[in-house]
Amino acid sequence: MLVTTYKKLQQWQTTREQPPVTDYCLQQPTRRTFLGLTLAGLAGSATLTSLSACSRQTAPAAFSIDAWRKAEAIRAQVVAPVFPERSFDVRDFGAKADGKHNNTQAFAAAIKACHDAGGGKVVVAGGDYLSGPIHLLSNINLHVAEGARILFITDPSAYLPAVFTRWEGMELMGYSPLIYAYGQTNIAITGKGVLDGQANRTTWWPWKGGAWKGGTDWSMPGVPTQDAARDKLMQDMENGVPVAERMYADGAYLRPPFIQPYACKNVLIEGVTITNAPFWLLNPVLCENVTVDGVNCISHGPNSDGCDPESCKNVVIKNCLFDTGDDCIAIKSGRNADGRRLNTPTENIVISHCKMREGHGGVVIGSEISGGVRNVFVEHCEMSSPNLDRGIRIKTNSVRGGVIENFFIRDITIGEVTTAIVIDFDYEEGDAGKFTPTVRNIDIRDLHCENAKHVFQVRGYKRSPIQNLHLTNCHFKQVGDIGILEQLESFSAVNVTIKGAEFKV
């Protein structure tokens, strides 16, 4: 079985041609270097004076207008899958809604019967269903009705045998995600029900281990952690060990993602509430045409990212709530050697009408972005929490590398946040590699922030400044300090105020 699986997956393991960089008719203003400017403390002044280190630049109208036309084209292209009008109730296949009976086989039987009949809806209704991993097939809509819950078994052995998966942007044979699909077309998870991973301080989460950079210590006495396996997996990746030989399930302590469609087309996740995840909540990988609509992502464990599209094309995320222990939305494209080997960017992402509460970041790109990210559009979102660390965030370094370009944000309301805008080239390992990142073409318009300790943490490299960062009609009301702006090229701020005073460059 392992050999067969490996052959089936070889198409994803070859080195791909670098796709062309396209700016979609975005016009770049004349470049001037904006270097080494640190503005901490200036927000306390009665008036913000012009900054002599940079001339004032204005992004041309086409920079934004043409881009948002592209966003509308993406939205029109991403069409949710439609399923035949036939239903298969899991209770007809032996499922029991008592929260105790193991329904893994009943789910598998209902999904197979529906698939063999040509597709339709697999219905989960009327109580609590305990289950191990659920593997979706083409033309299946797993419908979790309001009032129903799927409670996932916390015994790791239930998620064996190992499947081909990604973990922190690295390919491996690992524990099955709680809901998984590989190479399928037209799949969905819908309904108003609840998907509960049942992870907590005694199940799954202790594998995270001790505090990292002053963070939470999730460890438990006598419980092994992921540390050794994570280090070994990184080394295997850098050494080019074939994925089929990277066995990291039983005994490795790498927590599985909650929902991971892998190499799938036409994916819909709609309406459900996802909670108590072992690891990342929604992680489509190498997928095309993905819709995430009206999903509640509520999980406060370690690495509880809400939605992480990774090496995907054409993704719409809308009307969702994120209240998470890590980034709310984090756009990724593979880590380090694996990201460069697959060389598949995440591109054409539209995020709208979402709410972000707790999290390390509201809308984030990185840090696993070695394959690149381009054409990301964010509009009409609200963010606020005393525990929201950052609003808009890009995180990378010279170990990750990658090209991040064409990031457009408009009509964003931030209530309370630690830092409003972050572009960080010094994440995790910092400037310790030979893959210098490129970040360019970022346009932020109509962003209103009520309360931030810092406005900016924006810092490129001298050899690779952040290019074409433009702010228009952005207002930061209560501010501790302006923060940091370093190593930029072609930066503009038009009708931007901080504590009521005009911010000029």
Side-chain angles (χ1 to χ4, degrees):
M1 175 62 77
L2 178 58
V3 173
T4 302
T5 302
Y6 177 55
K7 287 181 178 178
K8 185 178 181 183
L9 297 167
Q10 281 182 328
Q11 60 177 310
W12 296 111
Q13 300 183 48
T14 57
T15 301
R16 302 183 177 195
E17 288 187 16
Q18 177 68 39
V21 173
T22 307
D23 286 346
Y24 295 105
C25 303
L26 305 180
Q27 300 179 26
Q28 297 184 12
T30 304
R31 295 177 178 178
R32 290 180 63 95
T33 304
F34 182 36
L35 301 175
L37 182 62
T38 303
L39 303 174
L42 288 182
S45 303
T47 303
L48 296 176
T49 57
S50 298
L51 303 173
S52 60
C54 181
S55 67
R56 184 173 179 138
Q57 301 281 348
T58 303
F63 192 83
S64 179
I65 294 172
D66 288 353
W68 284 101
R69 287 175 183 157
K70 173 69 178 177
E72 291 306 313
I74 295 167
R75 230 189 304 255
Q77 185 173 349
V78 179
V79 178
V82 177
F83 301 91
E85 290 292 333
R86 61 172 69 93
S87 296
F88 295 76
D89 193 315
V90 293
R91 290 172 292 192
D92 295 336
F93 295 84
K96 296 179 181 179
D98 59 5
K100 299 177 182 178
H101 178 74
N102 185 341
N103 294 297
T104 307
Q105 294 306 316
F107 276 102
I111 288 169
K112 185 177 187 304
C114 185
H115 171 74
D116 290 346
K121 184 183 292 184
V122 173
V123 178
V124 183
D128 295 345
Y129 295 81
L130 186 67
S131 181
I134 296 172
H135 289 192
L136 300 181
L137 300 173
S138 292
N139 303 312
I140 296 297
N141 175 6
L142 179 66
H143 183 79
V144 187
E146 188 170 8
R149 292 193 304 168
I150 302 177
L151 307 174
F152 286 89
I153 294 169
T154 57
D155 179 0
S157 66
Y159 300 88
L160 299 173
V163 301
F164 183 93
T165 181
R166 262 195 199 183
W167 191 88
E168 286 195 353
M170 299 174 282
E171 294 183 321
L172 71 157
M173 304 301 296
Y175 285 114
S176 171
L178 280 56
I179 300 179
Y180 176 73
Y182 174 77
Q184 305 300 309
T185 301
N186 299 332
I187 60 172
I189 303 166
T190 65
K192 295 295 185 180
V194 175
L195 306 173
D196 188 344
Q198 300 199 98
N200 56 37
R201 278 286 194 169
T202 61
T203 61
W204 292 120
W205 292 349
W207 289 5
K208 169 67 174 182
W212 181 77
K213 286 192 174 182
T216 302
D217 186 348
W218 295 95
S219 63
M220 282 183 62
V223 177
T225 73
Q226 67 186 25
D227 294 345
R230 185 176 186 267
D231 291 345
K232 186 176 184 301
L233 176 59
M234 286 188 179
Q235 195 60 54
D236 284 351
M237 172 186 64
E238 296 298 332
N239 292 340
V241 174
V243 177
E245 298 175 16
R246 301 181 193 175
M247 300 301 299
Y248 285 89
D250 190 22
Y253 309 104
L254 302 182
R255 295 157 289 140
F258 204 129
I259 299 175
Q260 188 183 73
Y262 203 111
C264 295
K265 289 187 177 181
N266 305 333
V267 178
L268 171 65
I269 304 170
E270 181 181 55
V272 294
T273 294
I274 306 167
T275 191
N276 300 323
F279 190 62
W280 296 351
L281 278 68
L282 297 173
N283 180 213
V285 178
L286 291 161
C287 291
E288 188 169 345
N289 294 334
V290 177
T291 301
V292 180
D293 186 2
V295 176
N296 298 313
C297 293
I298 303 171
S299 183
H300 292 94
N303 309 109
S304 280
D305 291 26
C307 184
D308 292 4
E310 190 169 7
S311 300
C312 292
K313 182 177 182 179
N314 296 343
V315 178
V316 171
I317 304 169
K318 59 184 179 180
N319 308 317
C320 294
L321 169 67
F322 298 94
D323 191 352
T324 63
D326 209 304
D327 293 324
C328 295
I329 296 174
I331 301 164
K332 304 175 182 292
S333 61
R335 179 188 289 260
N336 303 359
D338 270 8
R340 287 183 281 272
R341 172 172 56 83
L342 295 175
N343 202 16
T344 305
T346 291
E347 58 184 331
N348 303 345
I349 312 295
V350 179
I351 300 166
S352 68
H353 298 94
C354 291
K355 294 183 178 180
M356 291 81 174
R357 293 177 183 166
E358 292 191 20
H360 291 181
V363 177
V364 178
I365 298 178
S367 71
E368 298 86 353
I369 42 76
S370 301
V373 172
R374 62 192 182 198
N375 311 332
V376 177
F377 303 88
V378 184
E379 64 175 348
H380 310 310
C381 291
E382 299 176 11
M383 311 175 186
S384 184
S385 172
N387 298 315
L388 179 63
D389 294 334
R390 306 155 187 95
I392 304 299
R393 182 187 192 190
I394 295 174
K395 50 181 176 177
T396 185
N397 59 42
S398 62
V399 178
R400 302 284 190 274
V403 175
I404 299 171
E405 61 183 353
N406 308 340
F407 190 15
F408 295 87
I409 301 105
R410 68 181 183 184
D411 296 322
I412 304 298
T413 299
I414 302 177
E416 188 171 2
V417 70
T418 300
T419 308
I421 298 171
V422 175
I423 305 175
D424 181 12
F425 279 35
D426 197 39
Y427 182 76
E428 206 169 60
E429 300 98 333
D431 192 5
K434 57 182 180 180
F435 302 97
T436 299
T438 296
V439 175
R440 61 192 176 206
N441 302 341
I442 303 167
D443 189 75
I444 303 174
R445 294 173 184 256
D446 301 301
L447 184 152
H448 297 266
C449 179
E450 284 294 315
N451 192 342
K453 292 183 180 178
H454 321 287
V455 177
F456 301 108
Q457 182 191 340
V458 175
R459 178 188 287 120
Y461 292 151
K462 185 174 182 179
R463 66 184 182 278
S464 181
I466 297 159
Q467 303 171 39
N468 302 329
L469 170 62
H470 304 291
L471 278 67
T472 305
N473 301 330
C474 296
H475 306 283
F476 306 89
K477 191 172 181 181
Q478 298 297 323
V479 172
D481 60 56
I482 295 179
I484 296 171
L485 285 165
E486 294 180 357
Q487 311 300 352
L488 291 94
E489 191 172 281
S490 293
F491 170 78
S492 72
V494 177
N495 190 27
V496 174
T497 62
I498 299 176
K499 296 180 71 172
E502 184 179 3
F503 174 66
K504 296 180 179 181
V505 295

